[in-house]
Amino acid sequence: MKINFENILFERETNVKKNIFLIHGNEETLGGRIKDSLVIKFQKLGFSGLNTKENPIIDKDFDEAGLESLFDEKKISILKNPKISNLSFFNEIDESKHIIIIEDYKIKASDKIKKEFDYSKEFGSIACYKLTRESKKRILDNFIQKNLIKMTSDSYWFFLDNTEDLYGIFENELLKLEQFTNKEASVESIKKLTTEPIAKEIMNIFYKINQKKDRLVLLANNSLNSQSDSIYLLQRIKYFFDLFAKSKLKNERGLILPKYMFGEKDDLQNIYIKIDLKKITDINLLIKRNEFLQRKLPELHKIISVRFLLNIKKIIS
């Protein structure tokens, strides 16, 4: 049975018959948070033991003896990247005694095991990918309500639009809001709280997209010091071109921006006047390609980002 990850984060009922879960996708920080949430939930229900098995082989020879060696009374077992050829093994699990959490971030969508977890009423399948703006909003709303956070409307939207889509980083930024229970957060206070100085340096790369090639490369090499920097740059460029597209579709000569972004209007307008909808479409293809490469080759993030910027520059020019 497919389970929305938000149901786990928000502690909703999952309604699976057996407490056996497959966590998959390509966003391991979210997957880790889902695993921890499941562990905490079942520990509260009396499952006190916890063990982890790396790369276990679940085959036809993995019988009752294997069950006893893996699981004790009222235990939670985490199976990381198991090789499963005997799926019927899980049907024999006594859910009143055993909780099984499988983590496999490399499993393919076409895999027989994943399909079984997706459509079986017995098991739970939890997909973990980058947060969408809508899921970020629901997580933010839940956090604000739960912790009685006070924010202005502008600071709320600024926070939502200027935080990353990777859950681990987004959660860290959320925790910084806990100081706003007795005083209301403004846009300026949010800017000081988050990584604004670093963000300005990174975004300056994009604002200087029209300068000479060698200077653009030098600026990118000096500013992109981690994969998080490269991902932040990618996400902001993606967001900007979404704004560009909305303005172009309305046949606006001037770029339409949220109120909190007026300080960036001149820089963005200089880029906006040089593009049309066809160029935006071409750049959106580059964005998708960059997202794929950043996930696949994180150690090459800087090279990937520099080529990404140069390709954008080529389209805009």
Side-chain angles (χ1 to χ4, degrees):
M1 178 187 297
K2 293 181 180 180
I3 300 173
N4 189 313
F5 74 88
E6 293 177 23
N7 290 341
I8 307 298
L9 287 182
F10 301 155
E11 300 179 2
R12 299 169 183 157
E13 288 298 319
T14 55
N15 297 319
V16 291
K17 292 184 178 180
K18 287 184 175 288
N19 292 319
I20 302 175
F21 303 90
L22 169 65
I23 301 173
H24 58 93
N26 57 25
E27 218 292 62
E28 295 188 33
T29 69
L30 176 57
R33 182 68 176 84
I34 295 303
K35 176 195 68 178
D36 292 343
S37 296
L38 287 171
V39 168
I40 291 170
K41 171 185 176 179
F42 288 109
Q43 284 179 336
K44 290 178 179 178
L45 296 175
F47 291 82
S48 56
L50 178 65
N51 59 49
T52 301
K53 292 287 182 180
E54 298 272 357
N55 307 309
I57 298 175
I58 312 296
D59 58 15
K60 61 182 179 61
D61 295 322
F62 196 86
D63 54 15
E64 192 69 22
L67 179 66
E68 292 174 356
S69 66
L70 268 179
F71 312 114
D72 296 321
E73 190 80 3
K74 301 283 283 188
K75 291 293 177 70
I76 303 170
S77 286
I78 298 170
L79 308 182
K80 293 191 174 184
N81 304 311
K83 185 175 181 181
I84 304 171
S85 59
N86 179 24
L87 191 61
S88 62
F89 164 78
F90 296 105
N91 293 317
E92 301 167 4
I93 299 297
D94 182 350
E95 62 271 18
S96 68
K97 296 181 179 179
H98 307 135
I99 307 298
I100 301 178
I101 302 171
I102 301 170
E103 286 187 284
D104 192 341
Y105 301 109
K106 296 181 180 179
I107 195 168
K108 296 180 180 179
S110 59
D111 193 287
K112 177 182 177 182
I113 302 300
K114 180 184 175 300
K115 288 183 177 180
E116 181 67 27
F117 272 81
D118 281 350
Y119 299 108
S120 170
K121 293 182 179 179
E122 303 288 321
F123 314 135
S125 173
I126 309 168
C128 296
Y129 296 97
K130 284 197 308 182
L131 301 175
T132 63
R133 191 172 189 270
E134 290 72 25
S135 61
K136 282 175 61 179
K137 185 179 186 302
R138 288 189 290 270
I139 294 169
L140 175 58
D141 289 345
N142 180 74
F143 186 84
I144 289 173
Q145 182 179 13
K146 186 176 180 180
N147 295 280
L148 304 177
I149 306 299
K150 298 177 182 179
M151 304 180 75
T152 65
S153 176
D154 285 347
S155 67
Y156 174 90
W157 294 111
F158 178 86
F159 182 89
L160 187 66
D161 290 335
N162 288 274
T163 45
E164 293 207 30
D165 299 336
L166 293 176
Y167 181 83
I169 300 174
F170 183 63
E171 185 179 51
N172 287 337
E173 297 296 328
L174 279 177
L175 294 174
K176 296 177 183 178
L177 297 177
E178 290 181 337
Q179 64 181 273
F180 297 109
T181 54
N182 296 318
K183 59 180 180 179
E184 193 173 56
S186 64
V187 172
E188 288 306 313
S189 60
I190 295 296
K191 284 182 178 181
K192 293 176 182 178
L193 200 63
T194 56
T195 55
E196 184 67 12
I198 297 174
K200 282 186 176 179
E201 180 182 352
I202 294 172
M203 288 320 306
N204 193 48
I205 306 171
F206 179 63
Y207 298 151
K208 303 296 184 182
I209 196 82
N210 291 317
Q211 66 183 334
K212 292 183 179 179
K213 176 180 175 180
D214 56 345
R215 294 185 65 184
L216 179 63
V217 171
L218 180 62
L219 183 60
N221 282 328
N222 289 337
S223 301
L224 300 174
N225 298 311
S226 68
Q227 190 193 17
S228 293
D229 293 342
S230 291
I231 291 174
Y232 180 81
L233 175 66
L234 167 63
Q235 290 176 342
R236 297 307 293 160
I237 290 176
K238 183 177 181 179
Y239 176 64
F240 291 151
F241 276 95
D242 181 58
L243 292 177
F244 293 164
K246 290 177 181 177
S247 293
K248 291 293 182 182
L249 287 169
K250 293 181 179 180
N251 294 315
E252 296 287 345
R253 295 183 63 183
L255 176 61
I256 302 172
L257 291 174
K259 187 165 60 175
Y260 67 79
M261 290 182 65
F262 280 177
E264 303 169 71
K265 186 169 184 177
D266 289 343
D267 289 320
L268 292 172
Q269 180 70 22
N270 289 334
I271 298 171
Y272 178 75
I273 60 177
K274 294 190 174 185
I275 61 174
D276 53 28
L277 286 173
K278 182 182 183 308
K279 289 183 177 181
I280 292 173
T281 299
D282 292 342
I283 290 170
N284 281 335
L285 293 175
L286 291 179
I287 289 170
K288 290 181 180 180
R289 176 65 176 168
N290 187 282
E291 288 176 326
F292 170 76
L293 292 174
Q294 291 287 357
R295 289 196 303 267
K296 185 177 182 181
L297 303 167
E299 69 280 4
L300 298 179
H301 72 90
K302 185 177 291 189
I303 295 174
I304 294 168
S305 294
V306 169
R307 289 180 179 174
F308 176 54
L309 289 164
L310 292 176
N311 284 330
I312 292 177
K313 177 180 175 62
K314 184 178 179 180
I315 292 173
I316 291 176
S317 300

